Amino acid sequence: MAPRGPRRRPPSAAPLLLLLQLHLLARVFVASLSVERRAFLARCGGGLVAASPITSCNQHAFADDRNNGNSDSIASLLDAKTISWDGPPFASARYGTSTLRSSNNDGNTGPTSGAPCIYPPWLEGYHAITYKFVGASFPQGRKALSLRVAGAGLGTCLSLPNVGYNPPDHAVHFVPLSAGGGAYEDLAYNTPRKLEGFWPQATVLAVQTNGRTKGASSTSSSTSDGGTALSPKCFVTGDGCTPDVNPNLHSPTSRVALEFEGPTVRGGRQIQSIDTTLLNCSRDTRGETYYSAKGFSQYNALQGLQTFYREVSSLHRKDEETVEGRIRVAAFLPEYINDVGGGASAGASRNDEEALAVYDYSVSLKRIDEAEAASL
């Protein structure tokens, strides 16, 4: 199939308003160059593209970290005034030294990952997802804020890459599990679309995941490499994307790395990278509503920026075609990161284990077919 034609999108204005609230306007990442969307997203898509790896995507069964979370306690986080960190200690969940020195993200240097989240079977397939910004709050006050907090800069929180912006609809894909019911998120398909949707000036060049390798235990949250090693890069050119070269790219994964070209705070465009690891996942289903709470560690190599955040969500199936829900991201700033030079107000007291910023979105998903997904 011929690549989709170019699609121009306006630059974001909403994050500017949010950063005004943060009193960080003078230092915000400025995205001023308009960039056309590339055919890479089609290459990382479904069977409509020749030799696409998703056409032979392996189906897996696996157990996640906490597959019987308390739906009441997870739901309460969606309205709580603050959110606490519940992942491993920050020092043990950071990216390793070789990652900090390189943007290639080829080494086994990420933190130990948790098992991928399992989703309900009614999410299987393709959907058009709509995000709407609801608001932001700062539980420990604005004086404790820093530019090193996830979400303060573009691309520093892959759950919401451009906080405050309402992106155009884009496609998401969930793959059925082979046993036990449920589905998993196809991160190699979804993540490039999310980044380009939220950040129109970014152009994804390559994607990698730590898809479970053949022969690894399907019920283990990690493989012999600790669950951190990345697949070969799947490039915009199509190199490295075929099933024979990259058989596990679209397998269940808890780490994803993107290489992209985008504007920088100092001006001009550079090739950059984002590497994000899912540390843990709690989830539960109550009736037709699914709840999850995830912890993430992320590293942006060009900025030398390590961030930590939690994503809490609810998804309610209204009917066979429609799902509505909420996504809330809580950003944390460990003291050792702030000491690097984060810009927080002098003398500001804060609690490492409590969120500094909380971002709220509503979401809706409408079921579509593969052809419709390719057109978004």
Side-chain angles (χ1 to χ4, degrees):
M1 183 185 76
R4 295 193 297 275
R7 181 177 179 181
R8 296 186 179 273
R9 292 171 178 165
S12 166
L16 191 62
L17 299 178
L18 177 61
L19 291 172
L20 275 169
Q21 291 180 304
L22 294 172
H23 298 287
L24 298 174
L25 175 60
R27 301 167 70 182
V28 67
F29 288 96
V30 178
S32 59
L33 299 177
S34 178
V35 177
E36 296 179 353
R37 188 166 181 166
R38 297 189 178 183
F40 171 70
L41 297 184
R43 291 186 183 276
C44 279
L48 295 174
V49 181
S52 172
I54 195 64
T55 60
S56 61
C57 179
N58 298 322
Q59 295 187 0
H60 297 252
F62 58 89
D64 61 349
D65 288 335
R66 286 166 282 177
N67 57 10
N68 287 303
N70 187 312
S71 58
D72 290 326
S73 61
I74 298 175
S76 69
L77 295 177
L78 292 167
D79 297 301
K81 291 184 178 180
T82 187
I83 295 178
S84 300
W85 179 253
D86 79 336
F90 293 118
S92 65
R94 64 181 300 185
Y95 277 77
T97 303
S98 59
T99 302
L100 306 185
R101 294 175 179 172
S102 172
S103 62
N104 292 328
N105 295 327
D106 292 321
N108 180 18
T109 53
T112 300
S113 60
C117 264
I118 298 173
Y119 290 84
W122 38 262
L123 277 176
E124 173 191 336
Y126 294 90
H127 307 264
I129 188 168
T130 303
Y131 287 84
K132 296 295 183 183
F133 180 61
V134 175
S137 59
F138 314 106
Q140 299 192 55
R142 292 186 176 91
K143 288 185 177 180
L145 291 169
S146 162
L147 279 173
R148 304 190 77 84
V149 174
L154 292 167
T156 60
C157 173
L158 202 50
S159 288
L160 297 171
N162 194 351
V163 175
Y165 180 55
N166 295 327
D169 293 358
H170 61 271
V172 294
H173 183 226
F174 292 86
V175 182
L177 292 166
S178 59
Y184 66 89
E185 184 178 5
D186 184 355
L187 289 177
Y189 181 99
N190 294 349
T191 310
R193 288 167 166 78
K194 179 190 286 187
L195 181 67
E196 289 195 354
F198 269 94
W199 190 359
Q201 292 76 24
T203 303
V204 177
L205 304 176
V207 62
Q208 296 171 273
T209 72
N210 70 336
R212 297 321 193 223
T213 58
K214 290 181 178 180
S217 170
S218 62
T219 59
S220 173
S221 64
S222 62
T223 59
S224 59
D225 56 31
T228 64
L230 289 166
S231 67
K233 289 182 180 179
C234 170
F235 287 95
V236 62
T237 59
D239 294 339
C241 301
T242 57
D244 59 325
V245 174
N246 212 340
N248 298 300
L249 180 68
H250 294 273
S251 297
T253 182
S254 51
R255 181 182 177 189
V256 61
L258 298 179
E259 187 174 278
F260 67 98
E261 183 184 56
T264 67
V265 67
R266 295 181 179 179
R269 298 177 63 81
Q270 292 190 37
I271 294 178
Q272 306 173 50
S273 66
I274 299 173
D275 193 326
T276 302
T277 296
L278 172 69
L279 301 173
N280 56 31
C281 173
S282 298
R283 50 95 180 177
D284 206 348
T285 302
R286 184 169 57 193
E288 294 295 301
T289 304
Y290 168 85
Y291 298 92
S292 68
K294 310 171 189 176
F296 290 96
S297 173
Q298 177 173 320
Y299 187 69
N300 292 53
L302 182 65
Q303 295 81 11
L305 180 63
Q306 167 76 62
T307 57
F308 296 97
Y309 50 93
R310 291 185 71 189
E311 177 191 308
V312 183
S313 66
S314 67
L315 296 171
H316 175 72
R317 181 168 69 161
K318 293 188 66 179
D319 52 49
E320 293 295 327
E321 304 296 324
T322 309
V323 174
E324 293 186 349
R326 298 171 59 186
I327 291 180
R328 166 173 264 207
V329 171
F332 299 81
L333 183 65
E335 189 62 42
Y336 83 86
I337 294 179
N338 190 62
D339 287 343
V340 172
S345 300
S349 62
R350 57 184 179 81
N351 183 347
D352 280 13
E353 299 291 325
E354 299 294 325
L356 287 186
V358 177
Y359 316 122
D360 288 289
Y361 273 76
S362 64
V363 294
S364 62
L365 291 83
K366 179 182 178 183
R367 184 169 297 279
I368 56 177
D369 60 29
E370 191 174 353
E372 290 175 294
S375 69
L376 291 178

